[in-house]
C-alpha cells in the first residue's frame, strides 16, 4: 500500500516534470500548469494583465502561445510583432477571418459589418463606406457633438466646478458618447448625460451586453451555451439586456419610418438628419430596405462608435492632466491658431479642429499608448507559417495585442512608454504617417476602421472645448489601471476635480 508521503512525492515529481517539459517549450508565454494550463498566471497577474502580457511577449520575441485549462479547449497564439500583423491583417487577409465562434459570441451584431465574414461582410462594408462618403457624415457629427457639448457637457462641468465636486470623467464620457452616437445613428437622444446622472434603461442594457460578450470569451463555449439554454446566470442577464436594447432599436426605426411618411418635400430637403433617416430616404432610389437591414446597420455603427471614443477620451485626459507641458502646448496652439472672436466659440467645429496639429498628435499618441480595443482576434482558415516562424494550424485562433504593440520598443524606440506627441509631428508641422500595421489602434488592411478620421475629429472637438474652458485635475491617491474588459476601460474610473480656466 502506498502511503500519503509517497503519493505526495509522486504528485510533486509529476508537477516538476511537467513544468520542466513545458518550460522547455519556448513558445509558452506563461508557466503551463497541469490541468489548469496558464490560468493561474493570468489570475495572479489579473490586476495588470496587459503590462504582464506585454512583458512576456517581449521576453518571447513578440509572439508566444497561451493555453487555458485542458477542459476549456482555450488555446491561441498571441503576437505583437508588426511583421506578423502585416501578414495576418494585410498580406494574407483572406486566410484570417473572424470565425464561427466570433459570430456566436457577437450574435447581436447580425449581418452587420463588424462581425460578418466573406460576401456578407463585403456587402455590409460597402454600404457603410458609401454612407460615410456620401452622407456628409462629418456635418452630421458636428451638429450632434456641438449640440450635446454646448447643452449638456459644458453646463455639467460648470456645475461640477462651482460645487467643487469630484466627478468620474469616464462615466461622463460614456454617457456623452452614448447620447451623441444615438443622435448620429438613430436620431434619438436618450439624455443619459445630465447633472442628475440618470439611470437610462437602454444605456444600462448596452453596458450589460458588453459584460456579456466579455463573459463569453472567458468561460468555455459549452458552459455559456448551457446557461443560455437554461436562461440562468450571466446569460439570463444578457437575454434581458438584448431585449431592452432591441426594443430601443425597433422603436427608433418605427418612429423614423413614421416621420418619413409624414414629412413634406420641404422637410426632406433638410440634410444630415441621422443615419437611419438617410437610409430610409435612400429607399426612393434603391428600393425598400427591410427592417433587419436597418437594425443591423444601426446596431453595428452604434457599437463601433461608442466605446472607442469614450475610452480614448478618458485615457487622453488622464495623460494630459498628468503632463502639464503637453496641456500648455495644446492651449498655446488654440491661442495661436484662432482669432479672438473664433476663440469665443464654446465648441470648435470640424473645420477649426482640423487646424490643431499638436492636439491631433497628442490624440494619436494617447490612442497608441492606450488603444480602446486592446486585442484583435482572428481565426485561421488554413494552416500557415507566420513571419516569426510560428505555425498556426487550421481553425486555430490568433490574438494580436494592440496594447503591447503600442508599447513596443521595436516599433516606437527606447522612449516607447513616454507620452510624447512630438513623435507624430514632422519638421513641416504635419502629422507623420505611421503604417497601420505598426499603429494598429484602428486595425489594418481591408478591415481598417471606417470611423478613424471622424473619431479623431470628434475627440478633438470634445477635448478642445473642455481644455479651453476648464482645468482638469486628477484626484490624488487613486489607482489608475485598465480593467479586464473588451474595451480598455479604467478599472476604477477617472475621478477628477474641474476648475474654470483663466486665460
Ligand atoms: C477611437 C475610436 C475608435 C477606435 C479606436 C476604433 C477601432 C476600430 C478597430 C480596432 C476596428 C477593428 C475591429 C475588429 O475587426 O474587431 C474597427 C472597426 C470598425 N470601426 Fe472603428 N474605431 C473607433 C471609432 C469608430 C467610429 C466612430 C466608427 C463609426 C461610426 C467606427 C466604425 C468602424 C467600422 C464600421 C468598423 C468595421 C470595419 C470592418 O470590419 O470592415 N469606428 N474600429
Amino acid at each position: 500500500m502506498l502511503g500519503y508521503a509517497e503519493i505526495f512525492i509522486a504528485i510533486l515529481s509529476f508537477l516538476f516534470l511537467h513544468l520542466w517539459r513545458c518550460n522547455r517549450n519556448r513558445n509558452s508565454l506563461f508557466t503551463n500548469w497541469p490541468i489548469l494550463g496558464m490560468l493561474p498566471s493570468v489570475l495572479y497577474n489579473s490586476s495588470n494583465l496587459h503590462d504582464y502580457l506585454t512583458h512576456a511577449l517581449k521576453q518571447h520575441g513578440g509572439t508566444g502561445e497561451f493555453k487555458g485549462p485542458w477542459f476549456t479547449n482555450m488555446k491561441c497564439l498571441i503576437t505583437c510583432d508588426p511583421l506578423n500583423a502585416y501578414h495576418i491583417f494585410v498580406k494574407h487577409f483572406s486566410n484570417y477571418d473572424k470565425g464561427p465562434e466570433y459570430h456566436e459570441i457577437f450574435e447581436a451584431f447580425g449581418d452587420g459589418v463588424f462581425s460578418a465574414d466573406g460576401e456578407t461582410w463585403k456587402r455590409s462594408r460597402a454600404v457603410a463606406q458609401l454612407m460615410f462618403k456620401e452622407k456628409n457624415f462629418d456635418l452630421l457629427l458636428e451638429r450632434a457633438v456641438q449640440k450635446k457639448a454646448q447643452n449638456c457637457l459644458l453646463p455639467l462641468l460648470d456645475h461640477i466646478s462651482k460645487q467643487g465636486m469630484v466627478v468620474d470623467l469616464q462615466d461622463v464620457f460614456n454617457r456623452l458618447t452614448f447620447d451623441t452616437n444615438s443622435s448620429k445613428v438613430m436620431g434619438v437622444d436618450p439624455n443619459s448625460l445630465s447633472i442628475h446622472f440618470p439611470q437610462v434603461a437602454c444605456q444600462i442594457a448596452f453596458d450589460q451586453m458588453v459584460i456579456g460578450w466579455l463573459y463569453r470569451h472567458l468561460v468555455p463555449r459549452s458552459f455559456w451555451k448551457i446557461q443560455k439554454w437554461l436562461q440562468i446566470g450571466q446569460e439570463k442577464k444578457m437575454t434581458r439586456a438584448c431585449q431592452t436594447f432591441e426594443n430601443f432599436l425597433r422603436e427608433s426605426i418605427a418612429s423614423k419610418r413614421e416621420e418619413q411618411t409624414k414629412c413634406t418635400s420641404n422637410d426632406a430637403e433638410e440634410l444630415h438628419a441621422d443615419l437611419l433617416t438617410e437610409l430610409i430616404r435612400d429607399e426612393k432610389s434603391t428600393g425598400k430596405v427591410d427592417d433587419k437591414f436597418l437594425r443591423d446597420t444601426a446596431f453595428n455603427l452604434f457599437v463601433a462608435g461608442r466605446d472607442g471614443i469614450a475610452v480614448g477620451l478618458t485615457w487622453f485626459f488622464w495623460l494630459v492632466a498628468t503632463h502639464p507641458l503637453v496641456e500648455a502646448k495644446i492651449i498655446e496652439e488654440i491661442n495661436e491658431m484662432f482669432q479672438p472672436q473664433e476663440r469665443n466659440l464654446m465648441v470648435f467645429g470640424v473645420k477649426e479642429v482640423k487646424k490643431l496639429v499638436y492636439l491631433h498628435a497628442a490624440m494619436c499618441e494617447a490612442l497608441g499608448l492606450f488603444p480602446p480595443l486592446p486585442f484583435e482576434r482572428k481565426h485561421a482558415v488554413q494552416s500557415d507559417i507566420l513571419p516569426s516562424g510560428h505555425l498556426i494550424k487550421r481553425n486555430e485562433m490568433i490574438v494580436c495585442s494592440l496594447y503591447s504593440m503600442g508599447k513596443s520598443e521595436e516599433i516606437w524606440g527606447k522612449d516607447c512608454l513616454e507620452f510624447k506627441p512630438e513623435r507624430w509631428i514632422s519638421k513641416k508641422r504635419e502629422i507623420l504617417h505611421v503604417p497601420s500595421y505598426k499603429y494598429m489602434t484602428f486595425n489594418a488592411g481591408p478591415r481598417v476602421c471606417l470611423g478613424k478620421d471622424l473619431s479623431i475629429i470628434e475627440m478633438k472637438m470634445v477635448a478642445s472645448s473642455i481644455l479651453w474652458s476648464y482645468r482638469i485635475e486628477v484626484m490624488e491617491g487613486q489607482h489608475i489601471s485598465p480593467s479586464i474588459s473588451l474595451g480598455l476601460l479604467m478599472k476604477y474610473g477617472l475621478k477628477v476635480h474641474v476648475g474654470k480656466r483663466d486665460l
Side-chain angles (χ1 to χ4, degrees), residues 79-178:
T79 189
C80 68
D81 179 339
L83 291 179
N84 283 349
Y86 180 72
H87 181 95
I88 297 162
F89 291 89
V90 186
K91 199 166 170 204
H92 296 275
F93 166 76
S94 57
N95 192 44
Y96 296 93
D97 62 10
K98 299 250 171 174
E101 205 189 335
Y102 191 95
H103 303 306
E104 279 183 351
I105 293 177
F106 294 104
E107 63 197 330
F109 285 71
D111 291 333
V113 61
F114 237 97
S115 71
D117 276 322
E119 288 305 313
T120 315
W121 165 72
K122 273 190 195 156
R123 271 198 306 276
S124 316
R125 182 155 174 118
V127 170
Q129 222 158 6
L130 206 70
M131 266 180 344
F132 281 100
K133 260 199 198 135
E134 285 195 347
K135 301 298 174 194
N136 293 319
F137 206 73
D138 49 352
L139 293 179
L140 199 152
L141 175 151
E142 180 174 75
R143 224 167 56 166
V145 176
Q146 276 185 327
K147 191 169 156 201
K148 196 72 202 172
Q150 254 154 23
N151 298 343
C152 300
L153 176 66
L154 298 180
L156 172 80
L157 295 180
D158 219 44
H159 173 76
I160 288 163
S161 86
K162 282 183 184 142
Q163 301 294 316
M165 290 158 65
V166 169
V167 69
D168 177 2
L169 213 50
Q170 177 163 268
D171 187 23
V172 169
F173 290 143
N174 270 337
R175 289 165 181 270
L176 173 77
T177 53
F178 192 83

Side-chain angles (χ1 to χ4, degrees), residues 215-278:
Y215 180 77
R216 290 178 179 183
H217 278 86
L218 298 180
V219 299
R221 177 177 171 271
S222 50
F223 189 75
W224 70 258
K225 283 264 172 187
I226 292 173
Q227 280 195 317
K228 186 175 177 219
W229 187 63
L230 294 173
Q231 278 304 296
I232 52 171
Q234 183 59 45
E235 285 299 320
K236 186 177 175 185
K237 291 186 195 164
M238 182 71 160
T239 305
R240 284 198 187 145
C242 286
Q243 277 163 357
T244 308
F245 200 75
E246 215 54 48
N247 289 342
F248 171 58
L249 282 174
R250 207 176 318 120
E251 281 163 20
S252 306
I253 293 173
S255 91
K256 287 288 142 192
R257 278 211 183 280
E258 202 184 324
E259 235 174 60
Q260 283 308 297
T261 51
K262 283 186 193 155
C263 89
T264 63
S265 52
N266 278 352
D267 298 332
E269 296 288 302
E270 199 208 340
L271 284 169
H272 328 307
D274 55 77
L275 280 180
L276 267 184
T277 305
E278 296 289 350

Side-chain angles (χ1 to χ4, degrees), residues 319-353:
L319 285 165
V320 170
T322 50
H323 293 77
L325 271 179
V326 174
E327 183 181 359
K329 285 187 187 176
I330 293 172
I331 299 296
E332 192 185 310
E333 183 178 52
I334 298 177
N335 251 323
E336 273 171 19
M337 294 308 290
F338 301 124
Q339 302 297 322
Q341 68 272 22
E342 283 178 301
R343 281 187 243 136
N344 288 338
L345 281 177
M346 280 167 74
V347 187
F348 299 115
V350 172
K351 207 170 80 203
E352 285 85 29
V353 296

Side-chain angles (χ1 to χ4, degrees), residues 89 98 102 113-116 121 125 128 132 137 181 184-185 275 300-302 304-310 312 367 371-373 375-378 402 440-443 446-452 454-456 458-459:
F89 291 89
K98 299 250 171 174
Y102 191 95
V113 61
F114 237 97
S115 71
W121 165 72
R125 182 155 174 118
F132 281 100
F137 206 73
N181 238 21
K184 280 184 282 180
V185 179
L275 280 180
N300 277 258
L301 291 180
F302 182 86
R306 195 276 175 127
D307 274 0
I309 292 181
L367 286 166
L373 286 176
F375 294 116
E376 265 292 316
R377 59 177 274 178
K378 289 279 183 185
L402 313 191
M440 281 282 296
T441 296
F442 291 97
N443 211 7
R447 286 195 93 136
V448 69
C449 171
L450 282 171
K452 178 182 175 187
L454 290 171
S455 308
I456 296 186
E458 178 166 345
M459 291 168 73

